[in-house]
Amino acid sequence: MEKSLFWIVPAASFLALLLAWYFYRGMMSRSEGTDRMARIASHVRKGAMSYLRQQYKIVTIVFVVIAAIFAVMAYGFNLQNPWVPVAFLTGGFFSGLSGYLGMKTATNASARTANAARTSLDGGLRVAFRSGAVMGLVVVGLGLLDISFWYLILDYFVADDPAAPTAKLCMITTTMLTFGMGASTQALFARVGGGIYTKAADVGADLVGKVEAGIPEDDPRNPATIADNVGDNVGDVAGMGADLYESYCGSILATAALGAAAFIGGGDTEMQYKAVIAPMLIAAVGIVLSIIGIFSVRTKENATMKNLLGALSFGTNLSSVLIVGATFLILWALQLTNWVNISLAVVVGLVVGIVIGRSTEYYTSQSYKPTKRLAESGKTGPATVIISGVGLGMVSTAVPVIAVVAGIILSYWLASGFDFSNVAMGLYGIGIAAVGMLSTLGITLATDAYGPIADNAGGNAEMSGLGEEVRRRTDALDSLGNTTAATGKGFAIGSAALTGLALLASYVEELRIGMSRLGQTVIELPGGAVRPLHDASFTDFMAYFDVTLMNPKVLSGMFIGSMMAFLFCGLTMNAVGRAAAHMVEEVRRQFREIKGILAGQAEPDYARCVQISTKGAQREMIFPSLLAILAPIVTGLVFGVPGVIGLLVGGLSAGFVLAIFMANSGGAWDNAKKYIEEGNHGGKGSEVHKATVVGDTVGDPFKDTSGPSLNILIKLMSMVAIVMAGLTVSWSLF
């Protein structure tokens, strides 16, 4: 029966891709509106695709070089699984494809959303949300397709070992983890490059357009406005799509590897298989239930922000409630050991995701007190806006951190059968909780990808002069998008914490494979006890490598990992600053030299601003991304396995908290500005408005570049460590 249940996984992936195509066709059948609306959308579309082509050229070179290194390690020195180079390339390809398809949809949807908003608010919401759903369904569809494809290929080619029957599934699952490195590498380039692009344009447009020239947001007289709209797509659509693709795949693959490891010593291949396919089945059913949630999203005319948030929340919550029941049914059908408690661990993951989402919404939406107070601080100038935003972001870390800690403890405790010494099953519980959090990613990502589509629709409406009523509707959709985007970022960061912990545990399993490849058959524990390598537990490996807080190599790794989070943010923030400075100078130059721009008598040189953002992003994204790949390799060569584990722990703990702080501060600054623009505290053009624009400018790289990139950094360092485990166990300086 279990063998036949597996086919639900590829079937669900095809269903997701089919429905994504259906939603895309439905969106494309709608009108883009007036000729001017279509022309503006065309400018954005061309700029986005041009950027993506340039980025993929650079990323392709990086991937070829890394794949060649892996090939030498695998085929020349036997330090790698021979499947690694190919798996790495396919992971990167599918991650990039997810981003490309999502952005293609988003750039076609913006004008159509604006045109639908001319008729009704619900019409605009439905077009934008279902276009966002294309991204959500493409990510989960391609993710599960890649996973099921690799499982079937490896199941066919990896030979059975009669002496160790449970070794096959361990080999399969740890090999599958390696394509996650390809996905993580592509995601980091997409996030960092897209984040630098969009914020360079946004900062230039806001500082010179809004503050200095006093013209509205998305005004066609602003030379940077097209680049700003392009940036929304390359950063928040292509970047977010690639980001959550690797989170989704990483959580499933890490949990499958932990499931295989949990039963490696007992010889129970049947139960081991059930533990491996359980996360895949939960994700597959989650696709179906996400689709139900997507079809349930609708609203009424004159809806308030809370009404709009409620409409999206209804769809998300409906999918979450349904997946709870489905999880119990799946694990009961599998008759997995301790299935009731493992099902409850999935529920824990879902609850943690909801808590993080609600917390983010509370601290970033203008419907609630924190952001209203932040807006009010603008009465005393931009300095107090910045101070208040930093404080808000710091305070906002408490609830997500406590939620994740509670989730880790509860899921571990439940899955271990209330026995903290049962490490293998406890870690499996943490992994399955991460799968639970991401099981409804189809609709969760739809709400996130909706944001930049609504933002671009508002920009199109403004530049096309569609009138106050249409602009009011698109502003409502845009403001909702800011909140959903912030919620999506919080969700991505929370899932990164649980996935990162599962990957850390999977790293230990990869060490077993690496040591076996080097010919080692036993490990000698302190005290002289000897364990066969294939029977050694997680605790045995920790003792063998002396992974304790008293080991200076572990402590050194923890400090380096914590430093990496801050260094990475510093590099990406400075990159945005440099690129934005070029944009500010260009916008000022055009206002000064092209006569008649501000009077609306001459058209700005939009293409020049797009070019500046593209060049800046391509130049600046390479070093931070390569640093994230090199850090675990160098740490492993210097400090060995203890140093790498310390690095991953330090990066995970510091990066998680820092990412929440930056995402929530940035989201709150953005919505504080929106709150003022709704007519509060003097409205647009007031001194309070100018102060909040400065705050939003500071927050832009926080929430759209450095913050979201951190969760990829966490997982990429883990993935690199897993892939390079063979090299790490073979040699280190200390």
Side-chain angles (χ1 to χ4, degrees):
M1 179 184 173
E2 295 81 16
K3 298 288 183 182
S4 58
L5 282 174
F6 171 80
W7 292 102
I8 295 174
V9 180
S13 71
F14 282 115
L15 176 63
L17 295 172
L18 184 65
L19 201 66
W21 176 81
Y22 170 76
F23 283 149
Y24 179 79
R25 294 285 297 175
M27 178 271 295
M28 291 296 291
S29 67
R30 292 176 173 267
S31 170
E32 284 195 296
T34 65
D35 288 342
R36 181 165 177 77
M37 291 171 71
R39 189 166 67 253
I40 291 166
S42 173
H43 283 311
V44 174
R45 195 155 47 245
K46 286 177 183 174
M49 290 304 172
S50 173
Y51 168 81
L52 213 57
R53 280 194 297 271
Q54 286 294 111
Q55 177 177 283
Y56 286 171
K57 284 179 184 176
I58 294 172
V59 172
T60 299
I61 295 170
V62 173
F63 266 73
V64 169
V65 172
I66 294 175
I69 294 170
F70 287 164
V72 172
M73 291 176 64
Y75 309 127
F77 299 100
N78 197 33
L79 294 173
Q80 286 273 358
N81 189 300
W83 292 98
V84 166
V86 183
F88 171 74
L89 291 173
T90 62
F93 173 78
F94 278 109
S95 177
L97 183 62
S98 299
Y100 172 81
L101 293 175
M103 196 170 76
K104 185 176 177 65
T105 303
T107 52
N108 279 298
S110 57
R112 291 172 170 86
T113 300
N115 192 50
R118 296 168 74 185
T119 306
S120 71
L121 182 64
D122 182 57
L125 175 67
R126 193 170 297 191
V127 173
F129 182 71
R130 291 198 175 178
S131 299
V134 174
M135 167 62 92
L137 293 170
V138 162
V139 165
V140 296
L142 289 178
L144 276 191
L145 184 66
D146 200 6
I147 289 170
S148 53
F149 167 78
W150 270 107
Y151 180 83
L152 292 170
I153 290 289
L154 292 170
D155 185 50
Y156 181 80
F157 282 103
V158 175
D160 291 306
D161 185 355
T166 55
K168 178 177 178 177
L169 273 177
C170 286
M171 178 65 72
I172 289 172
T173 53
T174 51
T175 302
M176 288 170 68
L177 271 171
T178 59
F179 86 69
M181 182 187 167
S184 294
T185 304
Q186 166 59 37
L188 192 64
F189 275 105
R191 261 302 190 193
V192 173
I196 295 170
Y197 183 110
T198 183
K199 293 307 106 181
D202 202 1
V203 169
D206 281 357
L207 285 183
V208 185
K210 284 186 181 179
V211 178
E212 295 181 8
I215 59 179
E217 186 171 6
D218 296 317
D219 193 294
R221 293 171 292 176
N222 193 328
T225 192
I226 294 293
D228 187 13
N229 281 287
V230 171
D232 290 335
N233 292 288
V234 299
D236 287 339
V237 178
M240 176 60 85
D243 176 1
L244 285 173
Y245 175 90
E246 63 95 22
S247 284
Y248 184 71
C249 292
S251 67
I252 296 168
L253 294 171
T255 307
L258 291 172
F263 294 94
I264 192 171
D268 189 349
T269 55
E270 184 181 344
M271 197 58 66
Q272 187 188 39
Y273 177 77
K274 292 175 180 179
V276 167
I277 68 166
M280 302 179 193
L281 288 172
I282 293 169
V285 174
I287 288 178
V288 178
L289 302 180
S290 290
I291 291 169
I292 294 172
I294 289 167
F295 279 106
S296 69
V297 173
R298 59 191 68 222
T299 190
K300 296 177 182 177
E301 193 61 37
N302 299 317
T304 64
M305 180 56 61
K306 283 192 175 180
N307 296 144
L308 289 169
L309 280 169
L312 294 187
S313 296
F314 177 78
T316 307
N317 292 339
L318 177 63
S319 298
S320 298
V321 169
L322 292 173
I323 195 66
V324 170
T327 297
F328 278 89
L329 188 62
I330 291 166
L331 297 183
W332 170 80
L334 287 172
Q335 285 298 296
L336 186 65
T337 299
N338 197 21
W339 69 269
V340 174
N341 285 347
I342 293 174
S343 299
L344 290 172
V346 174
V347 176
V348 167
L350 277 166
V351 171
V352 170
I354 291 168
V355 170
I356 292 174
R358 288 283 177 266
S359 169
T360 305
E361 183 183 318
Y362 175 74
Y363 281 106
T364 60
S365 173
Q366 63 263 48
S367 301
Y368 299 99
K369 286 182 181 179
T371 300
K372 288 181 179 179
R373 289 198 197 103
L374 179 59
E376 192 174 357
S377 69
K379 292 178 179 179
T380 49
T384 48
V385 171
I386 293 168
I387 292 168
S388 299
V390 170
L392 182 154
M394 288 179 172
V395 170
S396 74
T397 62
V399 173
V401 169
I402 291 170
V404 168
V405 169
I408 290 170
I409 296 297
L410 281 173
S411 57
Y412 185 104
W413 185 61
L414 286 163
S416 67
F418 314 113
D419 179 9
F420 277 98
S421 64
N422 187 1
V423 178
M425 287 304 297
L427 292 172
Y428 182 72
I430 294 172
I432 209 90
V435 173
M437 185 185 287
L438 290 166
S439 58
T440 55
L441 185 63
I443 187 169
T444 306
L445 186 50
T447 63
D448 192 47
Y450 152 88
I453 294 172
D455 192 359
N456 271 214
N460 195 301
E462 177 70 34
M463 287 184 277
S464 302
L466 294 185
E468 225 169 279
E469 180 61 21
V470 178
R471 187 62 184 163
R472 183 188 65 78
R473 290 170 182 158
T474 56
D475 279 348
L477 295 174
D478 181 21
S479 192
L480 173 65
N482 284 332
T483 302
T484 61
T487 303
K489 290 181 178 74
F491 185 82
I493 294 163
S495 69
L498 291 180
T499 303
L501 195 58
L503 288 170
L504 179 58
S506 298
Y507 173 63
V508 176
E509 188 56 33
E510 187 65 35
L511 292 174
R512 187 198 312 269
I513 304 294
M515 293 162 73
S516 176
R517 193 172 292 114
L518 292 169
Q520 192 168 339
T521 56
V522 298
I523 59 173
E524 187 173 343
L525 303 178
V530 176
R531 294 274 195 283
L533 187 63
H534 62 83
D535 288 335
S537 66
F538 285 99
T539 308
D540 292 335
F541 278 104
M542 294 296 101
Y544 176 74
F545 288 110
D546 190 23
V547 182
T548 66
L549 287 177
M550 295 299 102
N551 187 339
K553 290 185 280 188
V554 175
L555 285 171
S556 299
M558 290 173 67
F559 278 118
I560 295 170
S562 301
M563 176 270 294
M564 278 294 300
F566 285 87
L567 176 61
F568 185 81
C569 285
L571 290 170
T572 50
M573 291 280 289
N574 286 334
V576 170
R578 286 190 293 270
H582 291 302
M583 186 64 72
V584 167
E585 290 171 3
E586 175 60 22
V587 175
R588 285 173 177 168
R589 183 194 69 78
Q590 291 199 32
F591 281 158
R592 188 174 60 249
E593 296 180 7
I594 303 177
K595 306 300 181 186
I597 284 185
L598 290 173
Q601 297 169 350
E603 186 169 281
D605 186 356
Y606 299 123
R608 176 62 183 158
C609 291
V610 170
Q611 189 182 22
I612 287 172
S613 269
T614 301
K615 283 186 176 179
Q618 303 294 341
R619 185 175 58 251
E620 299 281 4
M621 74 178 183
I622 296 173
F623 181 66
S625 301
L626 290 179
L627 187 66
I629 296 171
L630 290 172
I633 299 174
V634 175
T635 303
L637 290 173
V638 177
F639 295 119
V641 171
V644 172
I645 291 176
L647 174 85
L648 300 182
V649 170
L652 176 60
S653 52
F656 172 52
V657 180
L658 185 59
I660 294 171
F661 155 65
M662 299 187 86
N664 287 354
S665 284
W669 274 316
D670 195 353
N671 278 334
K673 177 197 69 177
K674 288 281 190 284
Y675 183 69
I676 302 298
E677 291 173 348
E678 289 170 359
N680 300 289
H681 303 303
K684 290 183 181 180
S686 65
E687 290 303 312
V688 180
H689 181 232
K690 289 180 180 178
T692 55
V693 169
V694 173
D696 179 38
T697 304
V698 174
D700 276 338
F702 269 48
K703 70 179 173 66
D704 289 327
T705 309
S706 300
S709 298
L710 274 172
N711 64 71
I712 308 173
L713 174 74
I714 293 167
K715 289 170 291 185
L716 179 58
M717 288 199 301
S718 298
M719 288 292 186
V720 173
I722 287 170
V723 173
M724 304 303 292
L727 178 64
T728 307
V729 297
S730 66
W731 185 88
S732 65
L733 183 62
F734 296 108

